[in-house]
Amino acid sequence: MRAFFNVPDITQNVSRQEFRAMEEKRMSEQNPYEILEVAENASFEDIQNARDRIIAQNQEDEKCRQTVEAAYDSVLMDRLRKRQEGKIKVPEGIRFAERLAEKKPPKLSMPQLNPSPNWLQQSIDQPDMQEITIVGACYTTLAGIALLSQSVDTLAFLLALGVGFSLYWLNRKEQKLGRALLLTLAAIGVGALIGSALLQTGLQTDPVQPQAILSCVLFVMLWLVDSFLR
């Protein structure tokens, strides 16, 4: 450490603590270029080599290493300031003590789609497989009887059973009989339109009566409404 800072041998007249205090005072009074033993117009390669050389010569002196590193950083920051002022040109690959925060490009965010209306979310049901099976078995049974029946009165009775079951099943979900009635009537209306359209296409229904085909379409619509709406 004394060889680096050229401090005269005065250890015989002062204590170790006093000597260290004198060294620290001397280092604090030196500018970074003097500590690195380089001129202010030295190249960056010379500054780096000076730092490495001094640290290598004082490997066991932690205080010296910290002082040299601080001086090196001070020199680089001084060069950075001069570069920003346009006084010197600094190589792009030089390491600065404090890197400027890199500006990240703005992130492109996808436009958010409008969520489904609340009334639609509240109307859709997510039944489990058991509920779907129960409702499906009920309407499948009614549809099977309707296909085998040759009586209009029987078809009307089966349809009445389907409507009654639909009212019961929908009402048990929300305990709203009026809402259940509206959904049931909507299912019957849509089913009647679809069934009538099928019959008008000239669909061959023999030997099954057209009314039975229409009843089956109604039961399918009731099954969909009872299973997936509430």
Side-chain angles (χ1 to χ4, degrees):
M1 187 71 177
R2 291 197 302 272
F4 160 48
F5 289 106
N6 299 322
V7 180
D9 190 3
I10 59 174
T11 56
Q12 297 179 355
N13 300 324
V14 297
S15 64
R16 183 180 299 273
Q17 293 181 350
E18 292 176 344
F19 177 67
R20 182 175 294 275
M22 292 174 61
E23 281 188 327
E24 293 178 355
K25 181 179 180 181
R26 179 183 296 273
M27 287 186 294
S28 63
E29 294 176 351
Q30 288 179 305
N31 64 42
Y33 293 95
E34 292 177 350
I35 295 176
L36 295 176
E37 299 180 347
V38 295
E40 292 188 5
N41 59 351
S43 65
F44 282 98
E45 289 76 11
D46 293 338
I47 296 173
Q48 290 177 340
N49 293 335
R51 179 202 60 179
D52 297 339
R53 174 177 53 80
I54 296 173
I55 291 178
Q57 292 175 355
N58 301 270
Q59 294 181 355
E60 298 180 357
D61 194 332
E62 180 65 20
K63 183 67 176 180
C64 175
R65 187 188 66 80
Q66 294 178 359
T67 302
V68 172
E69 288 288 357
Y72 175 78
D73 291 342
S74 297
V75 170
L76 292 185
M77 293 303 297
D78 180 62
R79 292 299 178 90
L80 175 61
R81 177 182 57 80
K82 292 180 178 180
R83 178 190 180 188
Q84 294 174 342
E85 295 175 354
K87 296 180 180 179
I88 60 173
K89 185 176 294 185
V90 182
E92 294 294 337
I94 193 66
R95 178 186 66 84
F96 293 106
E98 295 181 3
R99 292 189 177 183
L100 298 178
E102 298 180 357
K103 295 183 178 180
K104 297 183 179 180
K107 295 183 179 180
L108 299 178
S109 58
M110 296 295 294
Q112 296 182 353
L113 299 177
N114 293 330
S116 301
N118 292 332
W119 65 267
L120 182 58
Q121 295 180 359
Q122 295 176 357
S123 299
I124 297 177
D125 192 14
Q126 296 179 349
D128 54 28
M129 185 57 63
Q130 182 179 4
E131 292 178 341
I132 295 177
T133 302
I134 293 174
V135 178
C138 176
Y139 288 118
T140 299
T141 302
L142 294 177
I145 298 175
L147 291 175
L148 298 176
S149 175
Q150 299 295 327
S151 172
V152 176
D153 294 336
T154 302
L155 295 176
F157 176 71
L158 295 175
L159 182 59
L161 290 178
V163 171
F165 177 80
S166 178
L167 290 174
Y168 162 76
W169 194 262
L170 292 173
N171 183 63
R172 66 184 291 271
K173 294 182 179 181
E174 298 290 334
Q175 300 298 320
K176 296 180 180 180
L177 183 59
R179 183 184 182 89
L181 178 60
L182 290 177
L183 291 176
T184 300
L185 294 177
I188 293 176
V190 174
L193 292 175
I194 296 176
S196 299
L198 288 176
L199 294 175
Q200 290 178 0
T201 59
L203 181 66
Q204 296 294 329
T205 61
D206 294 336
V208 181
Q209 297 182 5
Q211 293 84 351
I213 300 296
L214 181 59
S215 298
C216 291
V217 175
L218 294 176
F219 291 144
V220 171
M221 291 304 304
L222 289 173
W223 170 74
L224 291 173
V225 170
D226 292 355
S227 298
F228 302 103
L229 295 180
R230 58 184 178 185

